Amino acid sequence: MKPRVIAASLAFIGLSTGDAYAYLDPGTGSILLQAIIATVASSLFVIKMYWYKFRGLLGLNRHSDDDASHDQ
Amino acid sequence: MSHALVDAGSFRDPSGRIYDLNGEIYRTVLNKAVAEFNHVRDSGLAAKLMSKGKLVATEEVKNSTLKKAGILAPMVLRHARIPFVSYPYEWSFPLLKAAALLHLDVQIEALRAGVSLSDSTAYNVQFDGPNPVFIDVLSFRQYRDGEIWAGHRQFCEQFLNPLLLRAYFGITHNAWFRGNLEGIETAMLARMMPWWRNFSFNVLSHVTMQANFQAGAMANNAKGIAKAKTVKLPKLGFERMLLSLRDWIKGLQPKDTGATVWQHYAENTTYNDAERQAKVRFVSEFCAKRKPKVLWDIGCNSGDYSEVALGAGASRVIGFDFDQGALERAYARAKAKKLNLLPLFQDGANPSPSQGWANEERKSTIGRGGADAVVALAVEHHLAIGRNVPLDGVVDSLVKMAPAGIIEFVQKNDQTVQQLLALREDIFPDYNQANFERALKGRARVVKSEKVSASGRTLYWFDRSKK
């Protein structure tokens, strides 16, 4: 299962090279995962955004002042 | 030549080191890091974070400042001193959560300013009262297009995993984290995660998949590294990942493990109002007279007397307790009432050791010191009877913590001591007030003492100075 998961994950990854520059070893598992998480997180965020827009239209949104995403 | 003490915990990042010179905290900026720091300063990020209290106050000083101590560096910074450095294994759940959210907030703001962080170590967050502050300005680097989040794995091990341990399993992270200073390994957490938790994409990805990918890469190391080197993370994806982690962590709460023993102490105490009033008066008088800048409240519980001390003249209280419920209440109290109180996890009979590389990377509790005063109310009997520490040793360790303080002695016939002895043999023939006083007077002057309960509980105000 694991090689297939990796293969699937690579499908998401744009292939280009460039060393992570840090004194810290980021860990192979973390790196391989990040491309997937980033893609899914982006899609979920878009869905959520539309969900809130939809709720906004119905006047259902509560205000949250403790959120970095509203921080700008 | 002045003597500058290099901080033993600051060696990991070659960008600079921390020095303590005559009580001032300096950071050298070395080599490549100078350009990186200039970029961060010019981006306005550092100033913005400082104005919001998210980054420790930092200023550039002449690099000749450290020259007289024999240290040469192209750039030198001075930081506001953190009054008491604490470690993630001393934080309760809400403190660790606040630190995690701060770390993410700093990263999100940084990314938006074209800056990334070279690591995600929890030791880069410190507390000023109950509020987290980021302390490592040299973690900031110019963001390079497509770079991965180098600190993701470390963030998981030092923030996310210990929080999940408590939120999903009701297991506190402190002992495990203290044993492994890098945090809770993702592979370990993945092993205990029930399968149905993977319906959450957050768990599936950050825990299960990360552990599986890591295991897969370990099995075929060269191939794994080669693949990892090709990964590019778009900036938008990076930011969304940080935001969704923030959302997840913001919603985490300790699993309901039932009220802990001390959680309702304040409402359910073993002494009546008159006794409480007497204690409040005694602590208030002491604090008004001594005006301690830093007071240690040993066995602080929910911070009842910490609050009294702060109201009466103490500037800052570091509380120590071993009960998570009480610590969480103390934190909530400090936040709600804006108290300069930092409640930390600590087992009085087994305080934090000096540990890490060369046994000195992370300092012992006593070694960090800095208390002007100590208050130990209803603590002594838990150590002397509950943990079999000789009475003389208990007094010795408490008196050594600060030049002056208050210690409460609890009589053997007191209800709480009787509870401690209920199921065990009384092997404490020498536990009595006379021996307590002998131990105390051998080490300090007793300025004042007062019996505060019918059972004979007595408060002692001690002072180590020779009048």
Side-chain angles (χ1 to χ4, degrees):
Chain A
M1 176 219 162
K2 280 164 208 155
R4 259 185 289 137
V5 175
I6 293 177
S9 73
L10 286 173
F12 287 95
I13 298 166
L15 292 172
S16 71
T17 51
D19 281 321
Y21 70 112
Y23 69 95
L24 175 77
D25 175 17
T28 321
S30 160
I31 301 176
L32 293 176
L33 177 71
Q34 284 188 41
I36 301 178
I37 293 179
T39 311
V40 177
S42 306
S43 338
L44 284 178
F45 196 85
V46 171
I47 294 169
K48 220 163 141 185
M49 213 168 64
Y50 280 106
W51 173 242
Y52 279 110
K53 267 190 185 164
F54 173 68
R55 285 173 59 97
L57 287 175
L58 302 176
L60 290 171
N61 283 351
R62 281 175 302 155
H63 276 288
S64 158
D65 52 10
D66 179 31
D67 192 334
S69 57
H70 301 298
D71 205 26
Q72 291 237 320
Chain B
M1 186 189 281
S2 309
H3 185 57
L5 285 170
V6 63
D7 183 88
S10 69
F11 63 85
R12 291 194 188 212
D13 187 343
S15 307
R17 293 206 69 170
I18 296 281
Y19 295 89
D20 185 334
L21 178 64
N22 306 325
E24 300 270 17
I25 302 298
Y26 295 97
R27 186 187 292 269
T28 55
V29 186
L30 305 170
N31 314 324
K32 279 196 312 188
V34 173
E36 299 285 4
F37 181 79
N38 284 335
H39 172 77
V40 173
R41 186 194 47 208
D42 297 343
S43 74
L45 174 72
K48 192 176 168 198
L49 290 173
M50 272 188 260
S51 72
K52 291 182 180 177
K54 290 180 179 175
L55 180 66
V56 67
T58 302
E59 58 175 348
E60 267 180 78
V61 295
K62 288 188 187 130
N63 64 354
S64 58
T65 314
L66 287 178
K67 211 182 262 175
K68 53 180 180 280
I71 296 150
L72 296 170
M75 188 186 266
V76 177
L77 308 174
R78 181 166 56 208
H79 290 308
R81 192 186 185 88
I82 301 293
F84 186 82
V85 170
S86 63
Y87 302 124
Y89 45 88
E90 296 166 339
W91 301 341
S92 60
F93 183 92
L95 284 176
L96 183 63
K97 180 172 158 178
L101 292 176
L102 173 86
H103 211 293
L104 290 171
D105 284 347
V106 167
Q107 294 208 60
I108 292 163
E109 279 200 44
L111 196 59
R112 287 171 180 170
V115 172
S116 65
L117 267 74
S118 62
D119 58 34
S120 298
T121 167
Y123 300 90
N124 276 347
V125 179
Q126 286 301 325
F127 282 89
D128 185 3
N131 305 310
V133 59
F134 190 77
I135 61 162
D136 187 11
V137 292
L138 297 190
S139 286
F140 294 114
R141 300 276 195 277
Q142 184 169 0
Y143 171 76
R144 296 174 190 186
D145 211 28
E147 76 173 76
I148 56 151
W149 178 11
H152 170 259
R153 168 191 174 174
Q154 195 172 41
F155 184 87
C156 293
E157 292 180 345
Q158 303 202 354
F159 290 107
L160 178 66
N161 297 349
L163 288 172
L164 293 179
L165 204 58
R166 180 81 190 283
Y168 289 176
F169 303 97
I171 296 170
T172 55
H173 69 276
N174 306 76
W176 191 339
F177 210 136
R178 172 165 149 180
N180 179 14
L181 297 178
E182 301 302 326
I184 313 296
E185 284 168 68
T186 304
M188 300 281 180
L189 190 69
R191 242 169 257 170
M192 59 196 286
M193 197 64 81
W195 62 271
W196 54 267
R197 286 274 184 200
N198 287 298
F199 285 118
S200 149
F201 179 71
N202 285 325
V203 173
L204 177 70
S205 55
H206 292 288
V207 182
T208 309
M209 284 168 80
Q210 186 181 182
N212 283 346
F213 283 166
Q214 184 67 29
M218 294 285 268
N220 191 343
N221 217 340
K223 202 173 155 201
I225 290 174
K227 277 178 185 165
K229 280 189 168 183
T230 66
V231 172
K232 250 188 133 185
L233 181 62
K235 192 175 177 185
L236 192 71
F238 197 158
E239 189 181 327
R240 296 291 177 255
M241 175 159 67
L242 294 170
L243 285 169
S244 69
L245 254 179
R246 193 188 190 283
D247 265 359
W248 184 22
I249 288 175
K250 204 176 146 197
L252 292 178
Q253 292 301 338
K255 190 180 183 185
D256 186 10
T257 47
T260 59
V261 181
W262 304 98
Q263 208 167 356
H264 303 298
Y265 186 76
E267 301 94 63
N268 191 22
T269 40
T270 41
Y271 43 85
N272 62 36
D273 268 348
E275 291 166 24
R276 192 189 123 77
Q277 287 311 317
K279 274 186 167 185
V280 167
R281 270 198 312 274
F282 199 95
V283 171
S284 298
E285 189 190 339
F286 171 81
C287 289
K289 181 85 191 295
R290 301 286 309 191
K291 299 213 168 10
K293 286 195 178 70
V294 180
L295 180 141
W296 283 11
D297 185 353
I298 310 298
C300 66
N301 209 284
S302 67
D304 220 10
Y305 291 99
S306 304
E307 188 179 348
V308 168
L310 287 165
S315 310
R316 178 185 297 273
V317 176
I318 312 296
F320 297 99
D321 210 292
F322 68 101
D323 184 84
Q324 299 285 348
L327 287 169
E328 282 156 27
R329 281 169 51 101
Y331 170 80
R333 178 199 297 262
K335 285 299 280 183
K337 300 186 175 179
K338 296 192 165 42
L339 303 177
N340 198 337
L341 162 64
L342 173 58
L344 296 172
F345 174 80
Q346 195 81 200
D347 174 357
N350 185 14
S352 300
S354 182
Q355 58 174 351
W357 167 247
N359 278 19
E360 55 186 23
E361 192 179 0
R362 307 296 165 208
K363 296 187 181 73
S364 70
T365 307
I366 301 299
R368 274 170 278 168
D372 303 309
V374 59
V375 166
L377 301 177
V379 164
E380 151 279 325
H381 61 301
H382 287 287
L383 294 167
I385 306 277
R387 304 294 286 272
N388 294 21
V389 181
L391 187 57
D392 193 66
V394 174
V395 173
D396 189 59
S397 73
L398 291 172
V399 169
K400 274 182 181 157
M401 286 178 186
I406 299 172
I407 303 175
E408 177 178 2
F409 177 76
V410 181
Q411 306 283 353
K412 199 185 261 182
N413 63 356
D414 191 274
Q415 184 193 333
T416 55
V417 175
Q418 285 306 308
Q419 271 174 17
L420 288 168
L421 288 171
L423 295 173
R424 58 182 297 199
E425 191 188 340
D426 180 357
I427 53 164
F428 308 99
D430 299 328
Y431 184 90
N432 58 53
Q433 193 157 3
N435 281 337
F436 174 84
E437 284 190 6
R438 192 171 303 131
L440 186 60
K441 287 174 177 167
R443 292 171 172 87
R445 260 185 318 124
V446 173
V447 177
K448 191 182 172 183
S449 66
E450 183 183 340
K451 190 178 139 191
V452 292
S453 84
S455 72
R457 284 172 175 243
T458 307
L459 301 186
Y460 290 86
W461 171 343
F462 75 84
D463 189 333
R464 283 195 327 226
S465 71
K466 291 204 176 67
K467 199 131 202 183

